Amino acid sequence: MFSREELNQFYRYCVALTGDEDEAYDLLQDSFEKFLRKGRDVHSAKAYFRGIIRNHFIDQYRKGAKHGFTELDENIISTNETSLESLIANKEEARFILNALDFHDRELLYLWAVEEYTAKELADLLKSPRGTILSKLHRLKIKIKQCLENGYEKDIKRKHQGKLRRA
Amino acid sequence: MKKTLKENIKENYAELKLSPEQWRSLDSLQQNRAGKHGIRFFLKISFAAMAASVLLLSLYLFQGSGSLAGKIADEVAYNHNKNVQMEIKTASIDEVQSFLSKIDFTLIHSERLPLEQWELLGGRSCSIQGRLAVQMKIQNKANGKLKTLYQVPYPKELSHIKSVPMETYASGVKVRLWRERGLLLGLAGG
């Protein structure tokens, strides 16, 4: 039995995957029904349920492809897992980044920032070698920086121009 | 002081919560499932425990070659298969008792073998596990089937055999053992 806070935590994970609150609730509800149907005691219910959510979400992708997959560049030189710590961004910028990222990156960012998983834990959870996870974190850092330097400024300007035109 | 991206991402997600309706809906799902699962789980466990108990008890009582009950069952089946002549042919249990004067216990009419259904043909003395015992031939009045009924003072070592019969097969013969009025009774025959 999950507490309200635990279900909220899973809901946030669903938002990280889907990028949309309504879709997140649908994903959570479907996965929860699936989890309860299993009707068995598992060693780690939270980890097990998280796995169901992730697999269910990826299945939906493969069937209908609401969202796109990103090709991973494994040749990027890996870095240490704390390199993302140095990034500075305000709340608006953080929201912009979350909207701009695809689900792979958003999930990684969520697990790293909110759940505070280490690279080793991420590797276990996402079933990837630790080196690959470090590469992904490094790649994510570059993407976020580019997002902030180019995309966010352009987005602000676009919104500002839109307001001027309406005025 | 400007916050880090990590802190802002955390705050952003912390604001996300299930609405009260969404929470209630999910919680009712798990409450319903927990009730059903609890009953199913209890039934499964109970059934498994019962099956395991019966199996272990049967193994303990009969299958272990070293167990006294198993040895008695083997001996009862062996005597039954030998089909030796009765020392006294009579339909009266009192006459069997009188004839076998060395017997130091009182033979009984078993409640499980009512006189209306079973007829006594005769009896003889024997020994079961070194104890003086009596074997009697009985016949089912309805179908004519013959069985051998053994009676012996209840061995203290067999405290686990109660009034409800324990059944096994020894040398191809069905053997039932039970306790009745201070005696151990064994019934052999198909």
Side-chain angles (χ1 to χ4, degrees), chain B residues 18-79:
Chain B
L18 292 163
S19 69
E21 294 76 29
Q22 288 172 331
W23 154 247
R24 272 196 293 274
S25 170
L26 293 175
D27 192 43
S28 69
L29 274 176
Q30 68 178 347
Q31 298 287 354
N32 289 341
R33 188 63 62 172
K36 286 177 189 171
H37 177 58
I39 292 167
R40 255 203 317 266
F41 182 71
F42 176 75
L43 288 174
K44 277 182 190 171
I45 289 290
S46 303
F47 180 76
M50 257 168 49
S53 303
V54 168
L55 181 67
L56 286 172
L57 192 62
S58 303
L59 286 172
Y60 173 71
L61 292 177
F62 294 120
Q63 302 305 318
S65 57
S67 82
L68 181 58
K71 286 178 182 169
I72 290 175
D74 285 341
E75 204 164 348
V76 163
Y78 175 77
N79 286 338

Side-chain angles (χ1 to χ4, degrees), chain B residues 121-150:
Chain B
L121 301 179
R124 62 172 288 132
S125 61
C126 63
S127 77
I128 288 179
Q129 290 297 298
R131 292 173 173 85
L132 191 61
V134 171
Q135 59 171 290
M136 290 174 276
K137 283 282 177 204
I138 57 171
Q139 187 169 34
N140 188 296
K141 289 178 179 174
N143 56 27
K145 278 191 175 176
L146 288 172
K147 291 188 187 252
T148 312
L149 175 67
Y150 295 81

